[in-house]
Amino acid sequence: MSGPGRRLWRIFRREGAAAALRRVRTRAGLLVRREPAPHRRDYLAWIAENEPDLPGLAAQREVVGAMAHRPFFTVFVCGSPSGPRDREAALAGLEAQTYPDWELYTPPAPGEPGRGRGRTPGFPRGDWWVLLSRGARLAPDALFEAARRVGAGEVDAVYADNDVLDRKGRRNDPFLKPDFSPELLLSVDYLAPFLAVRSSWLEDKALPETEAEHWALSCRLAESRRAIAHVPKILSHAARACDAAAGRRAVEASLRRQGVPATVEITPDRRLHAVWPAPDVEVGVVIPTRDGEPRLRPCLASLARTRGRLSIVVVDNGSADPATLRFLDEERRAGRVTVLRRPGPFNWSALNNAGVGALRTPVLAFLNDDIEATDGGWLEELVRWALRPEIGVAGGLLRRADGSVQHAGVAFGIGGLAAHPFEGAREDGTGLLGPVGWYRNWLAVTGACQVMRREVWEKLGGFDEEFGALFSDVDFCVRAWRLGLRNVCTPYARLVHHHGTTRGGDRLMPPHDFLVALDRFGPLLAQGDPFFNPNVSRWSALPTLRRLGDADAGRWLEVLAELLRERYPGEAARRPQLVAALGREVDTRLRAADARRRGR
């Protein structure tokens, strides 16, 4: 019996047939553990709150007549439906549209003329093509919303959120997407199942007949640097999710066109992993610490097992613990690290900036002393990404010791200001935003593990030392994004983050840092995080549906800022405080303000 067979037999004898079957399905990629999906009743309630009812749809028809610009859409159902039932289903969805300027192009089956209201691809009436995945159904306001977005500004393509129809035709599993996110296309063709594209761009390209061809077209669209707009509304209902295997060659070809000689692997859980030759560059690693021997010892031991050429600088922020001082001296004398003494008040930015000053490497990695690498290839994965010229900062998937996710990116607006979506989820979980383990672009990745080219750090002038303990890492990433660089989180750089062991976690926050961040990021918070869907609640790390009646994050932050200024004046604002403990008082003040308004 083979090794896998013996393991399966042991599971069967120990745990029973059901456990053995789960093992088979998991290995085959057929079983994906999910974070709690929205209960169907909750999703139906959200639909009732957010989608137009019959009077709302009637009002849309009236709005159409007043539109200054009315694009004409030629609709093509990918997969070339040739049977009468397919044509009738596609046409029925279009006849229900509140926007009337459309035609359905149905290519002829072999040996028969074209049917429907369509034309040939060479001369469609529409100045826009709508590519609809086979089996998908349009929401009645889909073309109306696409036309309205086209009229709002110069765009070349429009996509939207979608959900999935089960076998009984019921709506489930909403997929709430980010604004245009190039790296996400390496994991999923999120531009499907409803994509509107200018005919002028599509005219020299073949209409996609399969999922793989649609994915390839989406990649070419992303590479073209055209303006791609996202409508954060569920405008289509897919028959099923797209299989990652359908896009393997599309993703590989796209990367190679961009000069990346990548091979795309399909993982056991049916996700895509792009791998290209690891560059032979020296990486400078900066690790601040204070009295951190219990944390630093496993951290440095794991770096010794990490592949690549590393030059490690430990910045000692005034350690007094004898065990820490002995350990640092041992590591220094063995030539494994450079120890830089920087006593004084803790300032994360200043410590890391000082560490960079002791390095001359072309790539920089910043780590907390409570990070522990669990495999030798994590740094190669991050360096591959950091060396791409369009990338600012690369980050990885950080897990807690219990296996739950601690970091898979940073989104603005969660908990008011910024936090980690997916925190507390399982690494193999999935939900409203799709699986945790997809490549994603974010406005920021955590400073507990950041990798970047030295030129990026120098161009931005290093970390802003106005921040003492928190938000400097986020600020750096946002400044990189504003320069036109993308920040990426790859799920294939996995590390353990013993979060909270260094400074007690994020519950201890200098109010000064929070107030500076609020001032710095206020306009971005008002505008909305482009990589975090506005239909997702701002009050839960695990993605949940945003509901009517959710507290207004902007007003909540304003009241918290008022309270912090009152409670911690002067130098007290620069010392760590239990800011989270003030949440109840903020809520009390908000309720009192609401009561006063109602009293008027």
Side-chain angles (χ1 to χ4, degrees), residues 29 39 80 137 297 307 334 361 366 389 433 473 483-484 540 557:
H39 192 281
S80 300
R137 192 176 74 206
R297 186 180 291 275
R307 293 195 294 271
T361 57
F366 299 92
L433 305 182
D473 52 348
L483 278 181
S540 173
L557 288 173

Side-chain angles (χ1 to χ4, degrees), residues 515-544:
L515 294 171
V516 172
L518 184 58
D519 180 65
R520 190 79 54 88
F521 306 138
L524 185 56
L525 288 165
Q527 175 187 351
D529 187 329
F531 301 112
F532 195 61
N533 192 289
N535 295 305
V536 178
S537 172
R538 269 48 182 168
W539 300 107
S540 173
L542 289 175
T544 58

Side-chain angles (χ1 to χ4, degrees), residues 135-160:
R137 192 176 74 206
L138 285 177
D141 56 340
L143 297 184
F144 171 82
E145 293 292 350
R148 190 160 67 167
R149 183 59 190 87
V150 168
E154 188 65 24
V155 297
D156 298 296
V158 178
Y159 68 97

Side-chain angles (χ1 to χ4, degrees), residues 108-119:
E112 68 173 341
R115 297 185 181 181
R117 291 168 54 186
R119 304 291 181 94

Side-chain angles (χ1 to χ4, degrees), residues 269-585:
D269 56 358
R270 310 298 292 175
R271 294 175 190 161
L272 300 183
H273 181 199
V275 181
W276 56 96
D280 183 23
V281 296
E282 187 176 8
V283 180
V285 182
V286 181
I287 308 173
T289 193
R290 178 192 289 175
D291 294 331
E293 183 268 340
R295 303 178 299 274
L296 190 59
R297 186 180 291 275
C299 175
L300 293 181
S302 70
L303 292 182
R305 300 188 296 270
T306 295
R307 293 195 294 271
R309 292 189 290 129
L310 280 64
S311 180
I312 303 171
V313 174
V314 175
V315 186
D316 179 26
N317 186 215
S319 293
D321 170 53
T324 298
L325 294 173
R326 281 196 304 271
F327 176 64
L328 288 175
D329 192 50
E330 291 168 3
E331 293 293 296
R332 179 189 60 78
R333 283 188 287 128
R336 289 187 284 266
V337 304
T338 297
V339 178
L340 194 64
R341 307 288 181 181
R342 285 294 185 273
F346 177 81
N347 184 298
W348 186 89
S349 303
L351 295 173
N352 280 288
N353 287 343
V356 173
L359 291 164
R360 295 293 178 267
T361 57
V363 176
L364 301 171
F366 299 92
L367 296 180
N368 279 10
D369 64 355
D370 55 2
I371 287 287
E372 185 177 357
T374 55
D375 71 81
W378 69 275
L379 189 58
E380 288 178 339
E381 173 75 16
L382 290 173
V383 169
R384 278 194 288 262
W385 281 102
L387 285 179
R388 292 189 61 177
E390 66 273 20
I391 300 300
V393 183
L397 179 65
L398 308 187
R399 299 167 291 168
R400 299 183 189 275
D402 64 4
S404 64
V405 173
Q406 189 270 325
H407 167 271
V410 176
F412 279 80
I414 300 182
L417 190 51
H420 303 167
F422 303 120
E423 185 165 8
R426 294 181 63 102
E427 182 183 350
D428 57 357
T430 187
L432 294 174
L433 305 182
V436 174
W438 279 350
Y439 293 107
R440 294 181 189 270
N441 297 111
W442 294 105
L443 281 177
V445 293
T446 180
C449 176
Q450 288 184 340
V451 178
M452 67 190 73
R453 301 185 303 284
R454 188 187 191 93
E455 67 183 71
V456 174
W457 185 86
E458 290 176 345
K459 184 175 290 186
L460 293 174
F463 297 106
D464 188 342
E465 297 181 15
E466 182 66 21
F467 295 96
L470 296 174
F471 298 114
S472 181
D473 52 348
V474 175
D475 170 75
F476 186 93
C477 290
V478 170
R479 287 188 283 135
W481 173 71
R482 285 174 173 154
L483 278 181
L485 300 172
R486 300 196 300 269
N487 303 312
V488 65
C489 183
T490 168
Y492 301 106
R494 300 181 180 90
L495 303 103
V496 174
H497 187 194
H498 302 283
H499 185 245
T501 60
T502 301
R503 293 177 291 101
D506 292 343
R507 287 176 58 82
L508 287 173
M509 177 191 300
H512 173 81
D513 289 5
F514 177 87
L515 294 171
V516 172
L518 184 58
D519 180 65
R520 190 79 54 88
F521 306 138
L524 185 56
L525 288 165
Q527 175 187 351
D529 187 329
F531 301 112
F532 195 61
N533 192 289
N535 295 305
V536 178
S537 172
R538 269 48 182 168
W539 300 107
S540 173
L542 289 175
T544 58
L545 290 167
R546 192 172 194 170
R547 299 296 302 275
L548 293 179
D550 279 2
D552 177 68
R555 180 60 185 145
W556 199 91
L557 288 173
E558 290 175 8
V559 173
L560 178 58
E562 293 170 3
L563 188 57
L564 289 174
R565 293 187 183 99
E566 294 171 10
R567 190 70 58 87
Y568 305 110
E571 283 302 309
R574 293 185 177 271
R575 294 192 291 271
Q577 309 288 352
L578 281 171
V579 172
L582 300 177
R584 185 172 298 176
E585 190 168 346

Side-chain angles (χ1 to χ4, degrees), residues 15-89:
E15 302 177 43
L21 182 60
R22 282 196 299 273
R23 172 70 172 181
V24 171
R25 288 177 174 171
T26 301
R27 296 291 293 180
L30 301 175
L31 182 66
V32 178
R33 293 188 180 92
R34 301 181 60 84
E35 294 311 313
H39 192 281
R40 179 168 167 73
R41 285 176 297 183
D42 293 336
Y43 184 40
L44 291 177
W46 181 89
I47 289 172
E49 292 174 353
N50 290 275
E51 296 187 0
D53 53 13
L54 290 177
L57 294 174
Q60 288 181 3
R61 293 185 171 92
E62 297 178 6
V63 171
V64 170
M67 283 184 172
H69 174 63
R70 286 175 55 170
F72 194 95
F73 297 106
T74 297
V75 180
F76 172 69
V77 180
C78 304
S80 300
S82 55
R85 185 173 299 176
D86 287 330
R87 293 191 184 101
E88 290 168 6

